[in-house]
Amino acid sequence: MRNMRSLCVLCVLLSTVQEPVSEPLLNVSCLLDGGANIVCRTDVGDDPRFSIMVNGRFWLENSTSSRTVGDANEVSVPAASTGPWDITCSVRNRVSESETNKAEVICPVPPSDLVLEDLCLHNGSLQVSCSAENGTDLLFSLSVNNTLLQESRKEEKRVNVTLSSPGPWGVKCSARNHLGEKSKNQSYPACPVPPSDPVLGISCYNSSLQISCSVEKGTDPIFSLSVNGILLLENVTNEQKRVNITSSSPGPWHVYCSVRNHLGGKNKSVTHLTCPVPLSAPIINATCQNDGTARVVCEVESASNATYTWSVNGKHFNLSHAPNLTINASEFASGAINVSCSAENSVSKENSSTNEIFCDAPVSDPVLNASCLSNGSAAITCWVLGGTNPKFHLTVNGDVIPFPSTCTSCSWFNYTISASGPWNISCSVENTIRKSMSNIPSHSCPVYSEPSCLSCLQKSLIGGAVALIVTTSPLLIAYFYIGQNTKKE
């Protein structure tokens, strides 16, 4: 009887002893939608109790609702999010406990539908953003007008690009991974831009002012334009981004142009003093200067912005805005010069008649020379190297020697002095432009003596003449006396 009790106690003890649990196996099965199925399994152990903790929270705790797979027991929980997950699987019974961990578990997911967002910037550029809400390790590609602008992997599942080229734009965005691909197309019109700085064009036509105001950039610009405070155009639109107007009011003109749209406005002003008028026919006036040059003026009554062209003896040349011309005295050496001019501006061109111009050349300093002759007299010469119509004045010891009346434009003067020296000789020459003088003081010439035979002859002649006078004198006296008596009778 006692033995039977012992046997029964042993059977009870044996029936309450549990087998320890083995280390659990943790398995994560990724689903196509990015979720996962988390499985915790133990191959050995009686009455296992399972707990599954995800990211610090129990998704399953002390669960005995395991299923038997062969000799093993396992539990599973679904994960609907895309991770990452820090997972702890623990299993225990009354005799043992064990756990297994997995950190940063991520299941790849295909890209979700793409979202295209756009924003027009103030300068007319377009900012485009392409994003996907879900997707693992996505490769983004973005093309604009069939040109690939960007291709890269983005952890933030978004790609941004700014389009500064003028619209319109055709945008295509795609995102892909090994699980799939999504794409989206969108067309965008050009973005509105504020007006750029206006450009004022000013030109003259028939004494009127032609005005243009334009902008290079600007969506639907609205123009207003005033001249001297008077509004001539107001709230005018033009597809060519330009307006034109003509003002016939007298200058000066103060021009003001403003351009605006809903994004902003710009303005520009300019003052234009006058417009050229048609030229009158030029008249040539010439003035001879004291140095022998000629100052020639091409006179035009209305010479607004005129340029001048000259013709001198058939040779043409320009002097830009100079209406004056100087002709050197040497140009008149061959005589008169034919001069004409023309004046031109943006309105008209006029020509003068041809004028014949001549100016006297100034006389040069006179050259005075005295050459002695063999008989003791002197040959005086005074001449000039240059000068028009020189007039000579020669004085010898204060006596004025008259200039020959037969020579009115001679450039020299010759005179022979027969009186004995010394002589103070002075020669002056002048014309309408200049006067000059040269002097030779106290000039004398030596007297040369004759040979002795000549002196004898002179003495013989003198003696013979005396003898003749002595011989004939009584006869002449007698003849004269007889003649007088005869008349009385």
Side-chain angles (χ1 to χ4, degrees), residues 176-457:
R176 68 181 185 273
N177 61 12
H178 67 284
L179 297 175
E181 180 177 4
K182 294 285 186 178
S183 64
K184 189 168 186 178
N185 299 315
Q186 183 70 48
S187 295
Y188 298 97
C191 285
V193 295
S196 57
D197 290 329
V199 177
L200 272 174
I202 305 293
S203 61
C204 293
Y205 181 75
N206 287 340
S207 303
S208 298
L209 193 68
Q210 292 186 328
I211 306 167
S212 69
C213 183
S214 62
V215 290
E216 183 182 358
K217 298 178 181 178
T219 303
D220 299 328
I222 301 172
F223 293 86
S224 294
L225 192 145
S226 64
V227 176
N228 294 338
I230 301 174
L231 191 62
L232 301 182
L233 295 177
E234 184 177 13
N235 298 333
V236 176
T237 60
N238 190 295
E239 293 182 357
Q240 284 73 39
K241 301 182 176 64
R242 172 188 293 269
V243 292
N244 301 289
I245 196 170
T246 299
S247 174
S248 57
S249 62
W253 300 275
H254 179 71
V255 182
Y256 177 85
C257 179
S258 66
V259 188
R260 60 182 174 84
N261 61 10
H262 68 282
L263 295 176
K266 296 281 187 177
N267 61 76
K268 181 72 176 291
S269 63
V270 66
T271 298
H272 194 77
L273 296 179
T274 184
C275 278
V277 297
L279 300 172
S280 61
I283 299 174
I284 288 183
N285 283 324
T287 305
C288 293
Q289 307 297 308
N290 290 336
D291 59 356
T293 60
R295 183 177 184 270
V296 187
V297 181
C298 187
E299 293 184 352
V300 181
E301 290 183 5
S302 300
S304 177
N305 298 323
T307 58
Y308 298 88
T309 302
W310 292 88
S311 175
V312 178
N313 282 345
K315 182 180 179 181
H316 298 273
F317 53 95
N318 296 323
L319 286 180
S320 185
H321 293 282
N324 304 323
L325 175 68
T326 299
I327 301 177
N328 294 329
S330 59
E331 299 289 336
F332 298 107
S334 301
I337 294 175
N338 292 321
V339 179
S340 64
C341 72
S342 64
E344 181 179 7
N345 64 8
S346 59
V347 181
S348 65
K349 180 179 180 180
E350 298 290 340
N351 300 314
S352 74
S353 58
T354 301
N355 285 37
E356 189 177 77
I357 299 173
F358 181 79
C359 286
D360 289 342
V363 294
S364 61
D365 291 333
V367 179
L368 181 60
N369 182 54
S371 301
C372 290
L373 303 178
S374 61
N375 60 358
S377 60
I380 302 172
T381 303
C382 181
W383 75 92
V384 290
L385 299 177
T388 304
N389 295 327
K391 293 182 180 180
F392 292 87
H393 301 277
L394 181 67
T395 59
V396 178
N397 293 334
D399 296 329
V400 178
I401 308 301
F403 188 74
S405 59
T406 57
C407 187
T408 58
S409 59
C410 295
S411 59
W412 68 92
F413 183 16
N414 295 323
Y415 182 73
T416 302
I417 305 173
S418 58
S420 60
W423 308 285
N424 291 316
I425 306 170
S426 174
C427 179
S428 66
V429 62
E430 64 178 313
N431 63 5
T432 58
I433 300 175
R434 187 172 183 264
K435 180 178 181 180
S436 185
M437 178 181 292
S438 293
N439 298 289
I440 299 178
S442 300
H443 184 75
S444 60
C445 289
V447 177
Y448 298 98
S449 60
E450 297 176 350
S452 57
C453 59
L454 182 59
S455 298
C456 292
L457 179 60

Side-chain angles (χ1 to χ4, degrees), residues 31-35 82 107-111 134-138 157 177 179:
L31 305 179
L32 292 178
D33 61 359
T82 58
C107 280
V109 293
N134 296 316
T136 304
D137 195 22
L138 295 179
K157 301 181 180 67
N177 61 12
L179 297 175

Side-chain angles (χ1 to χ4, degrees), residues 73-128:
N73 293 287
E74 65 180 22
V75 293
S76 64
V77 293
S81 65
T82 58
W85 306 292
D86 292 330
I87 305 173
T88 300
C89 172
S90 63
V91 60
R92 65 184 179 85
N93 58 15
R94 289 194 297 269
V95 297
S96 67
E97 182 176 359
S98 184
E99 70 177 24
T100 298
N101 299 293
K102 283 189 176 182
E104 296 292 326
V105 178
I106 297 176
C107 280
V109 293
S112 60
D113 290 335
L114 301 180
V115 177
L116 273 174
E117 298 173 294
D118 62 272
L119 175 64
C120 280
L121 303 181
H122 191 69
N123 61 358
S125 300
L126 180 68
Q127 191 176 72
V128 179

Side-chain angles (χ1 to χ4, degrees), residues 126-130 142 144 149-150 159-163 171:
L126 180 68
Q127 191 176 72
V128 179
S129 172
C130 180
L142 196 145
V144 177
L149 296 185
Q150 193 173 124
V159 60
N160 299 303
V161 67
T162 299
L163 307 177
V171 178

Side-chain angles (χ1 to χ4, degrees), residues 134-154:
N134 296 316
T136 304
D137 195 22
L138 295 179
L139 177 64
F140 281 90
S141 298
L142 196 145
S143 300
V144 177
N145 295 338
N146 297 319
T147 300
L148 182 64
L149 296 185
Q150 193 173 124
E151 186 173 57
S152 60
R153 298 187 185 277
K154 299 291 184 179

